[in-house]
Amino acid sequence: MSKTLVLGGAGYIGSVVTRFLIEAGHDVMVLDDLSTGHADALPAGVDFTHADISAAGELFAAQPYGAVVHLAAKSLVGESVVHPSKYWHTNVIGTRALLDAMTEHQVPRLVFSSTAAVYGEPEQIPISEDAPTKPTNTYGATKLAVDMMISGECAATDLSAVSLRYFNVAGAAKGAGERHGTETHLIPLALDAVAGKRDKLTVYGDDWPTPDGTPLRDYVHVADLARAHVLAIGAAHPGEHLICNLGNGNGFSVKEVVAAVEQVTGMKMPIAYGPRRVGDPARLVASAQRASERLGWHPELDLTTMVADAWAFAQSRPSATDSGDTSL
């Protein structure tokens, strides 16, 4: 029986995806270097190899694998601008080695964790997969480079591949949630602020061309995202690279997220408004029509549920905090 390899399965999204794959009947092996993941985030009893992506070929040589779910990457936008070489090396060179190993050992299917950052400043809202790709940071550029490599590999080797371009992921599921050492995501930062684990939430700009003056972003629950990975494994045909956006198709402003956090927690949040940051778009909202048509996927969980699940997870364990501010 072939196995499914989850690269980065000890991270936030990877640990939830791993649980959903096991629940769907997959025999899973997780490979993670634990540079940002956590061994105790893995579900009990799952096969685990502590190594970086270069060890995938050794696993393929040991037994047959039917699919790879690739979530291993460096993903901090700001760091990618300051230290681009780390991102090109890990995200691009690492994935090139993975694709070579998959070809050598005839692993037929790949699901790749891509990102909305490949689009940069959108020209139209909602953003479809046919929108121009103009990343504004190294992180987005490396993910786009990998998407391009995968397209070439599918054409040359009959690999079946799906790239899932995430928008903003939030929430928790099946006992797994966000535990980043350097937190840049709005909802966990807002929860820390309302709980007194940071002195305030900084919002960059309240004069954007949006209904309430704060940026709009598309949020998707991590459980919905994980379901999409399970569906994606069987979605592509040999020689096809299918690219799907994952979002709910509706934007929520920073103020709307703050209101949801205050509603769920019953506490008032300390907020400071700063100037707009260069490069931040006013609106980022996905069109997920292709995911609906090709994967049979629809987001099911709303913003309040995302916040409530994230809050319950945060309350269940002590969380590390730092001085990072919201990226929105």
Side-chain angles (χ1 to χ4, degrees):
M1 180 179 177
S2 66
K3 293 178 76 76
T4 297
L5 177 63
V6 181
L7 299 169
Y12 166 41
I13 296 171
S15 62
V16 179
V17 169
T18 296
R19 285 164 166 78
F20 273 75
L21 287 167
I22 292 171
E23 194 172 83
H26 288 260
D27 182 12
V28 173
M29 166 68 79
V30 170
L31 186 149
D32 199 302
D33 67 4
L34 301 182
S35 58
T36 57
H38 304 271
D40 63 355
L42 295 167
V46 70
D47 289 340
F48 172 58
T49 296
H50 181 191
D52 66 27
I53 194 171
S54 64
E58 298 173 22
L59 297 178
F60 299 153
Q63 70 177 102
Y65 279 78
V68 173
V69 180
H70 179 12
L71 304 107
K74 293 193 176 298
S75 59
L76 297 176
V77 170
E79 182 188 57
S80 78
V81 176
V82 177
H83 301 291
S85 62
K86 292 168 59 175
Y87 281 69
W88 289 106
H89 180 80
T90 299
N91 296 359
V92 178
I93 297 174
T95 302
R96 180 65 260 168
L98 170 70
L99 291 171
D100 291 342
M102 290 181 68
T103 298
E104 179 183 354
H105 297 284
Q106 299 182 324
V107 181
R109 287 178 290 277
L110 172 66
V111 177
F112 174 60
S113 167
S114 191
T115 174
V118 302
Y119 298 116
E121 282 277 355
E123 297 177 2
Q124 290 186 321
I125 297 293
I127 302 168
S128 76
E129 295 84 356
D130 297 323
T133 48
K134 300 177 182 179
T136 57
N137 53 69
T138 303
Y139 167 64
T142 62
K143 288 288 190 172
L144 178 59
V146 171
D147 275 341
M148 295 172 71
M149 280 200 306
I150 292 171
S151 291
E153 204 69 16
C154 289
T157 68
D158 277 347
L159 176 69
S160 302
V162 180
S163 286
L164 300 175
R165 289 179 175 168
Y166 312 162
F167 281 63
N168 288 32
V169 186
K174 301 184 185 297
E178 290 195 69
R179 295 166 58 189
H180 300 129
T182 300
E183 187 57 76
T184 61
H185 295 163
L186 175 59
I187 288 176
L189 287 170
L191 291 173
D192 276 352
V194 82
K197 295 178 180 178
R198 60 181 64 246
D199 59 355
K200 65 182 181 300
L201 177 76
T202 302
V203 178
Y204 293 100
D206 60 355
D207 58 350
W208 294 89
T210 61
D212 66 16
T214 60
L216 280 94
R217 298 292 184 267
D218 193 331
Y219 290 86
V220 60
H221 197 293
V222 68
D224 284 331
L225 197 79
R227 287 191 302 102
H229 288 74
V230 177
L231 293 168
I233 287 177
H237 303 295
E240 179 186 30
H241 181 203
L242 173 63
I243 296 174
C244 293
N245 291 337
L246 295 182
N248 65 25
N250 295 299
F252 297 98
S253 72
V254 176
K255 286 184 177 178
E256 287 176 312
V257 172
V258 167
V261 169
E262 292 181 338
Q263 176 189 346
V264 166
T265 64
M267 293 184 280
K268 192 71 176 173
M269 187 185 311
I271 297 175
Y273 288 94
R276 295 188 196 181
R277 295 188 303 186
V278 176
D280 277 354
R283 301 169 185 258
L284 284 176
V285 179
S287 167
Q289 181 176 347
R290 185 179 294 176
S292 173
E293 295 172 350
R294 293 295 307 271
L295 306 182
W297 178 84
H298 305 274
E300 298 176 355
L301 302 172
D302 61 13
L303 178 63
T304 301
T305 305
M306 293 179 218
V307 172
D309 289 347
W311 177 240
F313 179 78
Q315 294 296 99
S316 72
R317 58 181 301 115
S319 61
T321 59
D322 55 53
S323 59
D325 284 320
T326 172
S327 60
L328 298 182

